[in-house]
Amino acid sequence: MSIQSLKQDITNAVSKVIIGKEEVTELFLISMLCRGHVLLEDVPGTGKTVLAKTISKLLGGQFRRLQFTPDVLPSDVTGVEFFNPKEKQFEVRIGPVMTNVLLVDEINRATPRTQSSLLEVMEERQVTIGNETVQLPAPFFVLATQNPLESQGTFPLPDAQLDRFFMSIHMGYPNFEEELQIMRIYRGNEPLKEVTSYFESLEEFVKLQDKVAEVLISEDMEKYLLTIIHRTRGHEYIEAGVSPRGTLAFMRAVQARALLENRSYVTPDDVKRVAPYVLSHRLQLNLEGSLRMTKREVMEDILQTTEAPVEVGASS
């Protein structure tokens, strides 16, 4: 398998199950190459869960699904410490987080206490129960879905939780022709059942993740990237801008995008392509900003008004 064909092969495989989501597939792949977690936000029935399952089947490895509801407890997620009367000692039983791909459906339906059980898991890729800390397998991803329109019976994700998601992606409705194609392929088939692992082993994918750090970022591109970050911290409509954690995520994302384009260096187009998805959900708008624009619109305004450097090659 070569990096040149990776993007097209994965896109072709996903397109047999999810129609018209080539850009979303690319963003998913970028996030996974960067060891990042993904938040899928859209109305019910747009294919969020199906896409997450498709991506996980292509990756291979273990897959677990959690349906979040208000009565789900933190121990249902991370695990529990219990007393074994036969052995006469306490034992730890790890929960569904001990997997490679964890799909959390409707993450905003769980209480804040349960949501917070994912903080250590997502940031440090480990779980602590009692006095025991267990490392999670590699690779490990959290793919979470939520309905942004419904408010009854939901608990909005706190900023600390949002900041741990590498990207926030909106699926959107299919157009007329795409939906017609969906009807036809699902009329008598179940395409998801036919999806198999694209990678020979998980180690093969981990090696691809390591290649992201080898992509070069010139000094001009570093300054361009940081200028965008710092403008989020001084924008008239933003209360709190992107954190240093977001800066590092932004850097890794542009490197991964360049890698998927079979380049050894980053260009301004890489920055513009991933910025809205990596940075928008990390912004906190002030009152005036929330009344005038969405986070995505503010981010687009920053990109349009920030001068990009002249595109240069790997020799810079």
Side-chain angles (χ1 to χ4, degrees), residues 223-242 247 250 279 283 298-308:
K223 292 179 179 179
Y224 177 48
L225 188 151
L226 271 179
T227 299
I228 293 172
I229 294 292
H230 279 258
R231 289 201 62 193
T232 69
R233 300 170 185 171
H235 195 279
E236 60 177 329
Y237 291 158
I238 298 177
E239 182 73 25
V242 177
T247 303
F250 192 20
L279 304 181
L283 305 179
V298 172
M299 197 65 244
E300 292 288 355
D301 176 66
I302 291 175
L303 290 174
Q304 291 174 8
T305 56
T306 302
E307 185 178 356

Side-chain angles (χ1 to χ4, degrees), residues 193-205:
K193 293 182 179 179
E194 300 175 7
V195 178
T196 58
S197 175
Y198 176 75
F199 302 96
E200 293 183 2
S201 66
L202 292 175
E203 288 73 20
E204 182 182 16
F205 186 76

